[in-house]
Structures are given as C-alpha cells and as structure tokens.
Amino acid sequence: MSRLARINLKTLPKGILLNSINNSIKFANNYSTTCFKKNNNKITNLVSVKNYSTSTIVLTDNNNSTDKPDDTLDPVEYKSWTKEEVCSLLCAKTDNGGAGLSLEQVKPLYDAGFDGASLAYIVQNLEMEKNDKSTTKSLMEKRKEVVGFTHNKWPTASFYTISTVVFWVDNLLKTRFYHLWTTDEVKQHLGKFCDELGLSNKDITKLAKYVLKSQHSDAQKIEIQKYPSILSWVSNLQTVKYNLIFEKEVLYNPQHFYNNSEMDKKHLSLFSKEDLIYLYKVSQLQIESLQKPLKADPFKFDLKNRDVCIEMITQGIKRYYSNYKNKTTLAKQDIPFILAKGGSGSGKSRILVESINIIRNINDDVFKRTRLIYYNFTNGFNLQTTQRDENLVAMITSRIIYSSFKDALNLASAIPVHGVDDKKLLHEVLYIISKKLHEEDNIKMNFPIPIILAFDEFQMATRSFPKLGTNIQHLISWYIRTLQKEHGLLIIPAFGGTLTSTDIEFTPTDHLASLIDLSLPCLREEDTESIVIKHDKLKPYYSKRSKLIWDVIGCVPRHLEWAIRKGIDFVTSTPHTNVDTLMNNIYGSVANQVFQLYMYFMDNPSLKRIALICLSGFPLSIFSNEMLVVESLKQKGLIYEKDGKPQLPLVMMGKLDPTFAVILENFVMSKKPEHEKFEEIILQTLMCRFTLLFENSSEVEFKNLFRGAIYPSTIGKAVVTVNNKNSSYSFGTLDHSVSNSDCSDTKFQKTKAREFGVDGISCNMKLTLPNSHQEEAIIVTQAKLQEENSKDESYGPGDIALFYEKALKVNITTREKYVLLVTNKQASNATKDMISDEGCLTYVKDKVTKVLPCPKLMLIDRSCFPNFFNSFFADFLTTFINRDGACLKN
C-alpha cells in the first residue's frame, strides 16, 4: 500500500499543475484503492466507494514515498524528454533515480520549460569542464562553475535547486547515460563483474563493445546470455523509471453563452488558467452510463403501491416540458423539484432511481433519451470540512462530476473553489456532460436530453449547511431558466432522504407551485403477497396462517427485503421446515434488525411512551412533550408516515415493553381465529389509551379518551375519572360468564364467546356528565367482524339498535354500561348522524317506525379505524376477513 501525503497547495505558487488531492494524476488507478490523509503527523485511512471499488490517490510525497516508478524513459533519447518528464524525475526520490527535490523547488524550472534540451545544456557544460586540461581546478570546483552557469540561465530557481540538479545530471552521466561513455568507462563499470564471473580483460573489452552498440548480431545476443547479471545490468541501463507528476498544460475553450460579443468576452475573461486546465481534464473523462443506476439484486422487487407517485412525476414532467417548448424563458414556478422523503427503507432512494424509467415511459420521444445523474451523500465521496465542501457551487459541481464520469474521484476532489456566487464551473461541467451525451446519442445539440439530477440522503448536506435547500434551488433554477436550452438539456432536479420540513425549505416560495412532493405509502397486503409468492422457495409458506406476519413486516419495503432474504436462507439451509418455525425465525430476525436501528434512543423514556401513543391510535402531534424526540426519530428516518400519522413499525415495538410484546404476540403471531384477534385488539387499544391518559392525571375528557369514535354529543364533554392513577393496567380472559365481581379497577377482560354479543369489558370508571350527574360506569365491547361476501353491505340504524339493546343485557348491575360497537363494515351516514346529533336511532321494523335512545353508544365502523386504531392495525382490521386467495392455505 502506498504511503501518501497531502501537499498544502496554499504554499505553492498560483496555478501549479500537480497531481494531488486537488488535481488528477495519470497513474491514479495503478496502485491503490485507498486514500490516505496526513493529519497531525498521523495517517488515517479514508476509504471511498462509488457503487463499486474506486482507486483514490493523492499527490505522492516523493521524498517519503515507497511507490515504485510507473513510467519509463530511454536515456539515449534524453534530449527529447519533455519538461513534464524531466521535472517529474527531479521530484522522484533518490532511491528511484530522481533528484529528491520537492515540488515547490522544481516548480520554477517547470514554469521556465526545463526539459531534455536543458539537461543537454548541463551535460555539455559538465563534459567540457571535465575534458578541459588547461586548468588545475578539481572536478568539484569545475562542477560548481557549471552550477553557476546553470543558475544564470534559470535564475528563478534557487541556487540550492540548481546545484542539486547539476550534481544529479553529473550522476546520470556516470550511471545512466551509458551511450555517452567511452569504452574505458564502460570497462570500468564492467570491472565489478570480474571476480563474480571470472572475466578476462579480453572478455571485458568484448562486452564493453556490446554495451555501446545499439544493434547486435544473433551471435552477440547468444553470447551475452552467458552473463545474466550483466544482461540485467545492461537492461536496467536502457530505461529510466519515474512517476509522471506534472502534466501538460492543455486549456479548455469555454462556450460562448451569449449572443453578445462583449458579454461573451467578459464571460471568457472570468476563467483563470487553473479553471481552464481543470475543465480540460473534465472534458477528457469518460462519461458513465447514466441509464442503469441499479445493480441487479434478486431481492429487489418491482415498485408496488407507487401509482400516485408515478402519476405525480408523469404529469409534473409533462407540464414542465410543455413550458420548456412553448416559453422563451421559464418562470420559477414552471420548474419541478421532485422530493422523495420518508422513513428509512420506505423506498425513497428506489423512487429516485426508478424515476428514469417512469419518465422514459412518458409518451414523447424526447423522454426516451432521459439520463440519471444520481449521487448519495452517504456513499463514497462523503462531505468533509474542507473549503470545497463549504462552498455550495464547488460541493454540488464536484458531486456531479463524481457521479457522471468514470474514475473521477481525484478530479472531483480537485475542483477549484471560487466565490459563493461564481457558478461558471458548474455551467461548463453541465455543458461538457451534455456534449458527450449528444455525441453518444448521435444527435444535434438543439435536441434536448432530459437529465434527472438526483441528490439522495440530502439531509446529510442540508443539516450541515443552513438554508441549503433554498440556495441550491436558486443555483439550479437560474441555470434551468437561463442556460439549459443553450446546452441542449432538460434538467429535472430531485432530492431524497429522511427530510423534515426544515431540511428542504424553499424561500421564497415561488417553486412550491410545481413541487412534486411524492407520497410514499406503506406496502399493501396485496403488494406483500405478490412480492413473497414471486420467490419459489417462499411461495409454499405464504398461507392464511403466515399472511398477517408477512403483512406486518412488509409495511416497510426494506424490512420485507430482509424477511425475504432471511426466509430463503432458512428454507435453503433447513428444507421441509414447517410454516410456524419459518415465520418465527423470520419475524425474530427482522425484529432484531429493526430494533438495532433504535438503540441510540433506548435510554430515552420517551421512546417507550411514543410506542404507547402509536399503539393507542392517538396522533403523536397531540403529545407536545414527546415531539422533540419524534423530530429526532424523523431525522434519522425512524418514523414512518401512515395515513398521515407518524408511526413506529410494529415489528420492533414488542422489544420495548412486555405489555407491547403481549399485544403483538396476540395479534401477529398467535394462531387464534381472526375474530378473536379483532376482539382482543379493541380491548388492548383501550388499555393503551387508559394507560397513557391516566398516567399523570386522574381526570380525562370523554372526547379525548374515545377520540376517533362516534358517540352522542351530549357525553362528549363528560369527564372520566379512574381509581387507578399511576398504576398499570392488564389484559386477561374470563373463563366464566360476566358478573358484577368481574368489574375491576385495573383489568381489561375478554369475555366468553357470544355472551349477549359482548366480547369484552373495560376497567371501572366514573363519568361526570355535563349536567354534573355522576355515575359509575364500565365499557362493554362488541366486535362485529363480517365476511366480505356478507349480505350486509353496510349497517343501518336498525342493525345498530339490535346490537346495542342486546349488549345492555349483559349481567352487570352495579355500573352503568356504555356500549362500544366495533365493526369492519360501514355504517350509513344517516345512522352515524343519528348517534352523534340526536343520541337515538330511528328505524323501521315490521313496517313500524321505532325510536331507540342510545345515550351510551359508541360506534367505530370501518371509516373510523384510521382515527381510532394504530394505523397499521387499522389496515389489517379493515381487511380482516376470511378470504381464500389462490395462494392461501390453512
């Protein structure tokens, strides 16, 4: 591995052309896949990845490097060596045949064009001084005179540098420039082989002639083979090895952007020599394939439940292109900014990279040429506390270069940094990309090529740089409105990540009119089913028994990927396993993986409370004390939006508290019939609500406790009091008929089956009604789980009245009974209005109109599920029916 160091460019003259962290080097890909950075005399390893292994090298400190030379030169042709080659040799370490000078010392010679002809000048002077017999000066004194001549010719270099160069050239004359040696000098060199090979004077003379000849007969070639050590020595003489660290100054020709010669002239004058050399290097890079951003992954399933996203992107881009064609100048509100934000693993990155396929499917030939420049702020070329990454234009432009070209990390890192308003390098880089793509497609520049400019995990950047969302919007927007047509591009900016509202704030709000803020809903049950059964090894294990487990895991796409991977591995290693064993292994494995993501918050009591809020079905937003932690979870992508409500994934909650584990075990993992799970989750949701609201208070308004349910308005303002403040609640099952003795201050209990249609009873409570009347009360629950093919499409007032009257007959006489009726069917709007507005049910039975007062009725029909239950539970309960799908078995 190379020992490498960073040169401080601030100490170098302006415009120095070096292969460093701030410039590309010719031999970058030959040695190392690791970048080293010198920091406080310590070497730290900075590995860099760009979706694959990438070579990364900074400027070699030749006085300390152990790199072996890479390029070779012919000493016979030394007069034709270029200044880049000569100056690179001067910087090579002495062990490798160089002069051991630093870059700073050699730079003045490089600027003065010090090349092979310059070496020839020194050689000529050294030879003349050596052969001058008219003086008694020593060889050392003669060399000093040559140093003086040479310094006069190249006065910008220090005397020390010139002295080193002259003595180095003198050493080359003695050791490498064999073609300038006399026969006696060659024989003198060959003398070291005499003892080893037993050579005679005749042999040495013959070999010396061989060395000095450039052409040899076959007999001479055969003869020299007898002396491999001499042959190796001669071979070594014939090449001079070095690393090229200086490059030719080739300047880029900037584009004429304006139809005004004076403006063009002013624009071109803004580029420094450093800029033009840099842009030339960019123009010589090979463009990446910007058409297939994803690697093949057998566990990467097709996009599911993204129809709304696809439609939003399609319509937004259609409008954008229509304005592009029909308007001379685009307005800010014409430019779409695609936003994909959500929890970790929710499909943000996937929708960004798939946007290229979505846009290509738009029915217009221009979109068939769509490209994707995708950069992820957490992979590869990471943000650093450098001048480059503290400058918006340099930070963004360097990432575009890195993502658009092959082997571009060195050059991307080397981008010149200018003022915050200096955008010219970005504009030129985009033009270079456009030109290469137009050449690739063999089309003229006036045909636009759509480019999705996608920055993923954007929160990594915007949280480090305040107002980055606004600034980058202005940066890209100006280019789109002013130059993209000239460049033959249709830029589509896109951002993804665990973004909060402040992460992607745009001010002023001109762009909000065309903002494509993508919704990333959780996977549906049918999505999970189609994904799982697509894998042949798992298809036999997708059954009625395992379906709910797959669905609970599959709410988050990445969790489903983990489950599929674990399932296939387990089935492969343990063939003929049963469904229960497989699903227990899958669920446990995924739960552990997900739980690890939350370890940072484990010591914070708010995490368990947030989980309790989620299980209770309450929106997190009404609990202001927890919002700080909720925001922290959002920033880390650990909160998922479900039906507009922030949620924690069910799969990890069981590890937070034993009570939660029981709830999830009963609902997800148990083999109980679906109607029993339905009955239990109603009681357990109530238990969570009581636990939460009565944790620090003994009084709670009825409307808050039963938020999401439908009930008579007269009891909405009632106050509920319990005798169990600050104590825990529990869940259990009665093995006998309900009686007064079963009323408890702490228990929520499931009753025996079909007892007056009542499935459970709550803990004791006291109600203080708006008229100040107080009464001891208890809630009895009725769960009406109807099959999808049931003859009743919805429940009318007569159905609800029947259930209500029946529940009131349950054998509890010491308390007022409040009936909570929960059904996965839909109650008619008229029925719900009767309950809430009138507190009575009016219906016709046997052609007779009847009116039943229902002041103690609470109704939760299917439309109420999202507002009463945990959002994930609500989905499962809505479709909690005895379906016999094609792939479902008992």
Side-chain angles (χ1 to χ4, degrees):
M1 190 66 69
S2 306
R3 283 184 69 84
L4 302 165
R6 185 191 298 272
I7 287 291
N8 182 359
L9 294 186
K10 293 181 180 178
T11 66
L12 302 182
K14 186 177 180 181
I16 187 168
L17 303 174
L18 306 174
N19 279 345
S20 66
I21 193 65
N22 293 318
N23 292 82
S24 73
I25 53 178
K26 181 177 179 180
F27 57 98
N29 294 325
N30 295 327
Y31 289 107
S32 175
T33 57
T34 305
C35 169
F36 289 82
K37 176 182 175 182
K38 190 176 286 182
N39 183 18
N40 298 327
N41 299 319
K42 295 181 180 179
I43 300 294
T44 54
N45 188 346
L46 304 175
V47 178
S48 183
V49 182
K50 178 189 177 183
N51 299 325
Y52 47 81
S53 179
T54 302
S55 295
T56 308
I57 283 216
V58 295
L59 174 65
T60 302
D61 181 341
N62 290 281
N63 293 319
N64 297 306
S65 173
T66 57
D67 281 346
K68 294 181 179 179
D70 184 48
D71 298 292
T72 60
L73 295 168
D74 183 354
V76 176
E77 302 295 333
Y78 81 98
K79 292 182 181 180
S80 63
W81 291 354
T82 66
K83 68 174 184 177
E84 289 80 22
E85 293 166 339
V86 171
C87 290
S88 295
L89 271 171
L90 291 176
C91 289
K93 62 181 296 186
T94 54
D95 290 349
N96 289 337
L101 291 168
S102 70
L103 296 161
E104 294 93 332
Q105 291 167 332
V106 175
K107 180 63 172 58
L109 292 176
Y110 179 85
D111 289 341
F114 195 86
D115 57 9
S118 307
L119 293 182
Y121 171 84
I122 298 174
V123 168
Q124 181 182 11
N125 279 289
L126 287 171
E127 290 288 276
M128 287 174 59
E129 290 290 340
K130 183 177 72 172
N131 297 325
D132 184 6
K133 307 299 182 182
S134 64
T135 179
T136 59
K137 293 178 181 178
S138 67
L139 284 176
M140 181 61 71
E141 290 174 321
K142 291 179 178 180
R143 286 181 196 143
K144 288 182 179 178
E145 287 187 352
V146 175
V147 171
F149 302 150
T150 309
H151 191 241
N152 288 336
K153 191 169 181 65
W154 287 280
T156 55
S158 70
F159 188 85
Y160 169 81
T161 298
I162 295 297
S163 178
T164 303
V165 171
V166 170
F167 278 77
W168 174 70
V169 173
D170 185 57
N171 186 60
L172 287 179
L173 277 170
K174 294 175 181 177
T175 60
R176 309 309 297 268
F177 287 0
Y178 66 94
H179 62 289
L180 300 178
W181 295 344
T182 65
T183 302
D184 288 340
E185 286 173 328
V186 177
K187 289 170 67 175
Q188 185 179 350
H189 280 283
L190 288 170
K192 63 185 176 183
F193 297 102
C194 287
D195 293 340
E196 176 191 345
L197 303 176
L199 298 174
S200 64
N201 286 334
K202 184 177 180 180
D203 293 330
I204 290 176
T205 301
K206 186 190 300 184
L207 288 168
K209 291 179 180 179
Y210 175 90
V211 171
L212 292 171
K213 282 186 174 182
S214 59
Q215 301 292 330
H216 305 94
S217 66
D218 291 341
Q220 288 174 322
K221 293 178 181 177
I222 293 172
E223 180 69 18
I224 195 67
Q225 297 297 327
K226 298 177 183 178
Y227 309 106
S229 56
I230 294 177
L231 185 62
S232 175
W233 174 70
V234 172
S235 176
N236 187 53
L237 283 177
Q238 292 173 346
T239 57
V240 175
K241 296 181 179 180
Y242 74 106
N243 283 330
L244 183 65
I245 62 171
F246 287 91
E247 295 181 1
K248 291 184 178 181
E249 297 178 1
V250 183
L251 305 183
Y252 173 79
N253 183 24
Q255 303 309 306
H256 295 266
F257 289 139
Y258 308 100
N259 296 320
N260 181 301
S261 59
E262 287 302 314
M263 291 180 68
D264 273 328
K265 185 176 180 181
K266 181 179 179 181
H267 172 70
L268 299 180
S269 69
L270 296 176
F271 290 91
S272 67
K273 185 178 180 182
E274 181 187 18
D275 294 336
L276 299 180
I277 293 168
Y278 183 82
L279 288 168
Y280 175 77
K281 292 176 183 178
V282 173
S283 71
Q284 298 307 297
L285 293 173
Q286 185 179 355
I287 197 81
E288 284 273 20
S289 172
L290 303 177
Q291 306 185 45
K292 297 180 180 179
L294 285 178
K295 286 184 177 181
D297 184 344
F299 300 102
K300 189 74 72 175
F301 42 78
D302 296 336
L303 282 177
K304 299 290 183 181
N305 201 19
R306 294 293 180 263
D307 297 342
V308 174
C309 291
I310 293 170
E311 183 66 14
M312 290 174 70
I313 292 172
T314 299
Q315 295 304 321
I317 300 306
K318 280 183 176 181
R319 286 192 300 270
Y320 177 37
Y321 184 53
S322 175
N323 290 326
Y324 177 95
K325 290 187 297 182
N326 298 322
K327 290 186 177 183
T328 304
T329 303
L330 290 173
K332 289 182 180 180
Q333 56 267 30
D334 295 328
I335 303 170
F337 279 74
I338 297 175
L339 295 183
K341 58 185 189 291
S344 176
S346 60
K348 308 175 301 299
S349 300
R350 185 70 187 281
I351 197 70
L352 281 186
V353 296
E354 290 288 352
S355 61
I356 184 173
N357 297 323
I358 295 170
I359 293 174
R360 280 180 176 170
N361 285 330
I362 297 175
N363 188 24
D364 193 309
D365 288 343
V366 70
F367 295 112
K368 302 298 184 286
R369 300 190 290 268
T370 301
R371 304 300 207 282
L372 171 66
I373 298 176
Y374 172 85
Y375 174 74
N376 188 314
F377 276 97
T378 61
N379 291 336
F381 189 15
N382 292 340
L383 288 170
Q384 300 172 4
T385 53
T386 61
Q387 188 180 11
R388 177 200 65 227
D389 286 351
E390 290 172 357
N391 178 285
L392 173 63
V393 179
M395 186 263 282
I396 293 299
T397 307
S398 62
R399 268 67 190 184
I400 292 174
I401 293 171
Y402 171 73
S403 304
S404 303
F405 297 99
K406 295 182 179 179
D407 301 321
L409 178 58
N410 293 328
L411 197 56
S413 302
I415 189 168
V417 179
H418 300 296
V420 293
D421 296 323
D422 195 338
K423 311 176 185 70
K424 59 183 181 293
L425 282 180
L426 170 63
H427 303 160
E428 292 291 343
V429 165
L430 289 172
Y431 177 80
I432 291 169
I433 292 170
S434 176
K435 191 172 181 182
K436 287 180 178 289
L437 293 178
H438 280 83
E439 290 171 356
E440 189 177 273
D441 288 357
N442 194 27
I443 57 175
K444 294 181 179 179
M445 290 292 289
N446 59 335
F447 288 93
I449 292 180
I451 291 183
I452 305 161
L453 200 55
F455 294 97
D456 203 1
E457 301 300 343
F458 189 60
Q459 75 280 356
M460 301 297 294
T462 189
R463 290 172 193 167
S464 301
F465 303 99
K467 299 183 179 179
L468 180 63
T470 294
N471 292 333
I472 200 170
Q473 163 244 314
H474 288 304
L475 177 69
I476 297 174
S477 172
W478 189 92
Y479 174 83
I480 289 174
R481 289 181 288 115
T482 309
L483 294 175
Q484 72 167 353
K485 270 194 178 181
E486 294 288 333
H487 289 182
L489 293 176
L490 181 69
I491 297 293
I492 303 166
F495 304 90
T498 56
L499 299 166
T500 63
S501 57
T502 54
D503 290 333
I504 199 65
E505 184 178 12
F506 285 171
T507 54
T509 58
D510 300 17
H511 286 279
L512 296 181
S514 55
L515 195 66
I516 304 176
D517 194 351
L518 299 180
S519 170
L520 298 172
C522 297
L523 294 179
R524 300 161 299 191
E525 294 181 31
E526 59 267 32
D527 301 325
T528 304
E529 179 177 347
S530 65
I531 290 165
V532 174
I533 65 175
K534 186 176 180 180
H535 298 273
D536 292 339
K537 288 189 175 182
L538 296 179
K539 187 174 181 178
Y541 297 95
Y542 189 83
S543 64
K544 186 175 179 181
R545 181 178 298 174
S546 67
K547 178 185 182 307
L548 184 58
I549 302 175
W550 283 114
D551 290 341
V552 168
I553 294 173
C555 287
V556 179
R558 182 174 296 156
H559 300 171
L560 184 59
E561 285 185 24
W562 291 344
I564 290 172
R565 195 182 302 272
K566 174 66 178 178
I568 290 176
D569 289 347
F570 191 84
V571 171
T572 302
S573 62
T574 315
H576 310 301
T577 188
N578 60 57
V579 172
D580 294 337
T581 301
L582 174 67
M583 297 314 299
N584 281 331
N585 273 273
I586 289 174
Y587 190 86
S589 173
V590 174
N592 286 332
Q593 282 183 275
V594 177
F595 186 67
Q596 288 300 314
L597 301 176
Y598 293 82
M599 291 303 293
Y600 175 82
F601 295 92
M602 285 309 299
D603 293 334
N604 193 322
S606 287
L607 181 61
K608 189 164 76 170
R609 184 170 168 81
I610 290 168
L612 181 61
I613 295 169
C614 292
L615 288 173
S616 72
F618 288 132
L620 283 169
S621 58
I622 66 175
F623 295 90
S624 57
N625 291 340
E626 317 304 331
M627 290 314 294
L628 187 62
V629 177
V630 170
E631 286 302 312
S632 296
L633 289 165
K634 281 184 178 180
Q635 288 184 358
K636 292 185 178 295
L638 301 178
I639 288 284
Y640 299 84
E641 291 288 334
K642 177 70 175 156
D643 298 326
K645 291 164 66 174
Q647 295 288 333
L648 294 174
L650 291 178
V651 73
M652 60 79 63
M653 288 192 202
K655 290 186 168 291
L656 293 176
D657 186 273
T659 302
F660 304 164
V662 170
I663 294 173
L664 294 169
E665 171 67 25
N666 287 340
F667 186 77
V668 180
M669 303 300 294
S670 76
K671 300 177 184 179
K672 296 176 182 177
E674 292 176 345
H675 69 86
E676 284 194 33
K677 292 185 178 184
F678 190 28
E679 295 160 4
E680 290 179 2
I681 203 63
I682 296 168
L683 286 168
Q684 288 165 341
T685 297
L686 285 177
M687 180 178 70
C688 290
R689 289 190 169 207
F690 273 74
T691 301
L692 187 65
L693 295 185
F694 290 107
E695 181 180 25
N696 297 309
S697 175
S698 59
E699 294 184 353
V700 173
E701 281 194 331
F702 185 96
K703 64 180 181 182
N704 293 332
L705 186 60
F706 292 94
R707 185 187 183 100
I710 298 165
Y711 47 80
S713 58
T714 52
I715 61 171
K717 293 182 180 180
V719 174
V720 180
T721 307
V722 296
N723 297 322
N724 189 37
K725 178 185 174 184
N726 296 329
S727 298
S728 59
Y729 292 93
S730 61
F731 172 79
T733 302
L734 296 175
D735 58 1
H736 54 267
S737 298
V738 178
S739 67
N740 291 327
S741 61
D742 295 317
C743 298
S744 166
D745 287 338
T746 61
K747 293 180 181 179
F748 289 77
Q749 300 171 91
K750 185 173 177 298
T751 63
K752 289 181 68 175
R754 308 304 176 190
E755 189 172 0
F756 299 103
V758 171
D759 303 300
I761 58 173
S762 74
C763 66
N764 297 328
M765 60 182 186
K766 180 186 290 184
L767 257 68
T768 303
L769 299 173
N771 61 5
S772 299
H773 172 71
Q774 292 186 340
E775 55 188 23
E776 298 292 331
I778 197 166
I779 301 166
V780 297
T781 62
Q782 289 180 307
K784 299 301 177 182
L785 178 64
Q786 298 294 319
E787 296 184 10
E788 191 175 61
N789 58 1
S790 168
K791 64 179 181 179
D792 298 317
E793 292 298 324
S794 64
Y795 285 145
D799 303 307
I800 304 298
L802 179 63
F803 298 142
Y804 178 63
E805 284 188 302
K806 189 175 181 181
L808 291 176
K809 295 177 181 177
V810 71
N811 189 28
I812 296 176
T813 58
T814 58
R815 296 183 174 274
E816 293 295 325
K817 290 165 283 193
Y818 282 74
V819 178
L820 177 63
L821 172 62
V822 187
T823 175
N824 65 330
K825 284 292 184 180
Q826 185 81 29
S828 67
N829 290 333
T831 302
K832 290 188 278 190
D833 289 342
M834 290 179 192
I835 296 172
S836 60
D837 296 341
E838 302 169 22
C840 63
L841 294 165
T842 303
Y843 60 98
V844 177
K845 183 176 181 182
D846 298 330
K847 299 181 180 182
V848 177
T849 300
K850 296 190 175 184
V851 177
L852 175 69
C854 55
K856 299 174 182 178
L857 172 64
M858 294 166 285
L859 173 66
I860 300 173
D861 73 344
R862 184 168 58 193
S863 68
C864 298
F865 282 7
N867 295 320
F868 188 84
F869 293 106
N870 171 281
S871 296
F872 296 117
F873 285 151
D875 265 4
F876 304 136
L877 295 176
T878 301
T879 56
F880 226 17
I881 50 179
N882 296 313
R883 285 189 302 156
D884 290 321
C887 299
L888 292 181
K889 303 173 184 177
N890 287 326

